[in-house]
């Protein structure tokens, strides 16, 4: 069942976080739905601009609609990840998405406000909610690279002003994470102080954490043993997900970790079976391994086991 992100946030806020997982193809979709059903968790499917271009937006939509039929117990929202203004309008008008993210965080404050406000107006007219971003995460996002040292944490006073001026429904805050597999040099923690200040100014307002992959060391070690060369990677400490959720982080975005599962499965498979060229056997292993991974993340986010309560809340007359 496709629901809105707002419905999911309402149930989860302050208690646990909803996992927001990116998908690009049928294998990821199968693993994601299986893992969420196994762990009885609601979830958010994220579609990036890159994912929309990878095959075709229609293909992704058909995959998701098919998965919804195959797994009738699933409860999820469909969200555009890191949209520009044009892509937001496209998704708003498609009638398929539950919510969009307008990411104008690389623009100055006033321009970010103006763009976000326009998207909010268009989205609200059609009943979709809008995630916006303030502050700058480090690392690489599709076509934008923020160099080390140029990332900026979200300013809590500005965040309050931004939400007031734009009317956005949730806010992605920069609290020390970055996209990809190389988030930190050495041990580092999320900036809980920033979250506390934002929550104090906007109690009840859903916050979003991007760049939340944990980049498991055992996964990276296995990839490297099978011929990979991923050096000095470092992710978010999984034990910080739930404390962040209690401070208002209601959506936690995880993409890179899924790519690592895919890479590990395929590297090991073709290393061990060099004569093999059928992609279905490793594809099947990936689906199972990704499902296991997703279930483990939902446990850590606190969303595992919440499906029945969410169903009651979203079907209540
Ligand atoms: O934040 C970016 C997400 O991980 C999506 O990545 O733009 O390469 O699809 P992508
Ligand atoms: P990761 O690169 O840490 O998985 O972050 C994904 C993300 O923020 C998608 O918007
Ligand atoms: Zn992101």
């Amino acid at each position: 069942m496709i629901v809105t992100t707002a419905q999911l946030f309402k149930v989860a806020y302050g208690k646990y976080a909803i996992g927001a997982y990116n998908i690009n193809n049928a294998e990821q979709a199968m693993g994601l739905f299986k893992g969420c059903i196994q762990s009885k968790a609601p979830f958010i499917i994220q579609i990036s601009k890159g994912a929309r271009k990878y095959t075709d937006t229609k293909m992704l939509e058909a995959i998701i609609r098919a998965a919804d039929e195959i797994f009738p117990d699933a409860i999820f929202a469909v969200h555009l990840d890191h949209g520009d203004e044009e892509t937001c309008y496209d998704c708003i008008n498609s009638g398929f998405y539950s919510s969009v993210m307008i990411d104008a965080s690389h623009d100055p404050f006033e321009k970010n406000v103006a763009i976000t406000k326009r998207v909010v107006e268009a989205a609200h007219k059609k009943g979709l909610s809008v995630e916006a971003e303030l502050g700058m995460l480090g690392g690489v996002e599709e076509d934008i690279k923020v160099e080390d040292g140029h990332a900026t944490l979200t300013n809590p006073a500005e965040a309050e002003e931004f939400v007031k001026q734009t009317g956005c429904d949730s806010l992605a805050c920069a609290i020390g994470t970055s996209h990809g597999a190389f988030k930190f040099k050495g041990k580092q923690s999320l900036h809980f102080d920033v979250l506390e200040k934002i929550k104090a100014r906007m109690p009840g307002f859903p916050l979003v954490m991007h760049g939340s992959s944990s980049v498991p060391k055992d996964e990276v070690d296995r990839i490297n043993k099978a011929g990979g060369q991923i050096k000095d990677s470092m992710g978010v400490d999984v034990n910080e997900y739930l404390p962040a959720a209690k401070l208002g982080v209601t959506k936690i975005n995880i993409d890179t970790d899924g790519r690592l599962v895919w890479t590990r499965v395929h590297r090991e498979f073709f290393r061990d079976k060099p004569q093999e060229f059928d992609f279905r056997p490793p594809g099947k292993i990936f689906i199972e391994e990704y499902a296991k991974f997703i279930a483990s993340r939902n446990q850590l986010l606190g969303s595992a086991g919440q499906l029945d309560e969410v169903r009651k809340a979203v079907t209540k007359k």
Side-chain angles (χ1 to χ4, degrees):
M1 183 198 314
I2 301 182
V3 298
T4 66
T5 15
Q7 284 174 297
L8 297 180
F9 289 169
K10 201 167 156 201
V11 191
Y13 183 88
K15 291 183 274 184
Y16 59 91
I18 309 280
Y21 303 102
N22 292 66
I23 69 158
N24 296 263
N25 61 20
E27 290 80 359
Q28 280 182 307
M30 283 302 284
L32 174 56
F33 277 76
K34 271 191 172 203
C36 288
I37 289 301
Q38 278 164 15
S39 56
K40 293 188 183 320
F43 59 105
I44 297 171
I45 293 181
Q46 302 217 108
I47 300 177
S48 72
K49 284 183 285 167
R52 285 162 59 84
K53 276 186 265 170
Y54 175 57
T55 49
D56 190 284
T57 54
K58 286 200 180 68
M59 180 73 81
L60 267 181
E61 193 177 320
I63 288 171
I64 294 166
R65 288 201 195 279
D68 191 21
E69 279 184 33
I70 299 165
F71 300 91
D73 289 339
I75 297 182
F76 60 98
V78 181
H79 176 77
L80 168 69
D81 190 27
H82 293 284
D84 52 28
E85 196 172 356
E86 196 190 326
T87 313
C88 282
Y89 296 144
D90 197 42
C91 293
I92 290 166
N93 293 326
S94 76
F96 179 60
Y97 288 71
S98 315
S99 52
V100 294
M101 175 190 189
I102 173 67
D103 183 358
S105 60
H106 300 91
D107 286 316
F109 185 86
E110 286 75 20
K111 193 169 174 197
N112 188 353
V113 167
I115 296 171
T116 302
K117 229 172 133 176
R118 288 198 292 270
V119 171
V120 167
E121 254 178 53
H124 285 183
K125 264 190 213 148
K126 301 237 172 177
L128 279 81
S129 43
V130 176
E131 173 184 329
E133 180 169 329
L134 186 67
M136 244 190 275
L137 274 74
V140 187
E141 267 166 39
E142 205 174 357
D143 37 16
I144 295 162
K145 184 172 189 325
V146 180
E147 301 294 342
D148 269 359
H150 284 78
T152 44
L153 298 183
T154 302
N155 174 316
E158 274 187 9
E160 188 182 10
E161 194 50 40
F162 183 86
V163 169
K164 222 182 265 167
Q165 288 191 28
T166 61
C168 67
D169 306 280
S170 60
L171 188 68
C173 299
I175 51 169
T177 65
S178 59
H179 293 106
F182 311 96
K183 299 185 192 298
F184 308 117
K185 293 197 170 68
K187 171 96 187 108
Q188 220 172 300
S189 167
L190 301 178
H191 286 262
F192 287 107
D193 51 330
V194 175
L195 282 180
E196 275 164 12
K197 286 184 189 138
I198 297 176
K199 185 171 186 246
R201 286 174 176 274
M202 298 188 282
F205 189 80
L207 307 175
V208 177
M209 182 160 83
H210 283 248
S212 313
S213 280
S214 65
V215 192
K217 191 180 171 319
D218 57 326
E219 201 73 88
V220 172
D221 286 347
R222 284 174 71 174
I223 291 171
N224 288 344
K225 262 200 208 132
Q229 289 189 12
I230 301 175
K231 302 240 162 68
D232 302 323
S233 56
M234 175 79 70
V236 172
D237 178 348
V238 292
N239 296 311
E240 296 195 336
Y241 290 156
L242 213 43
K246 308 267 174 195
L247 289 172
V249 175
T250 321
K251 171 171 176 276
I252 289 195
N253 290 8
I254 297 176
D255 183 16
T256 295
D257 282 349
R259 296 180 185 199
L260 292 173
V261 174
W262 189 94
T263 306
R264 182 255 300 169
V265 165
H266 287 83
R267 280 201 178 277
E268 287 186 344
F269 182 86
F270 288 111
R271 173 198 63 191
D272 298 342
K273 296 190 165 53
Q275 301 88 341
E276 186 66 80
F277 53 86
D278 185 352
F279 55 82
R280 290 169 297 190
K284 279 225 168 256
I285 299 171
F286 168 75
I287 291 169
E288 294 309 320
E289 291 292 292
Y290 192 45
K292 250 196 266 169
F293 166 78
I294 293 286
S296 76
R297 272 8 191 201
N298 291 339
Q299 292 292 344
L300 293 160
L301 300 177
S303 62
Q306 304 288 346
L307 204 52
D308 291 340
E309 199 197 332
V310 169
R311 191 181 319 282
K312 265 189 233 148
V314 299
T315 52
K316 203 164 65 189
K317 289 271 175 329

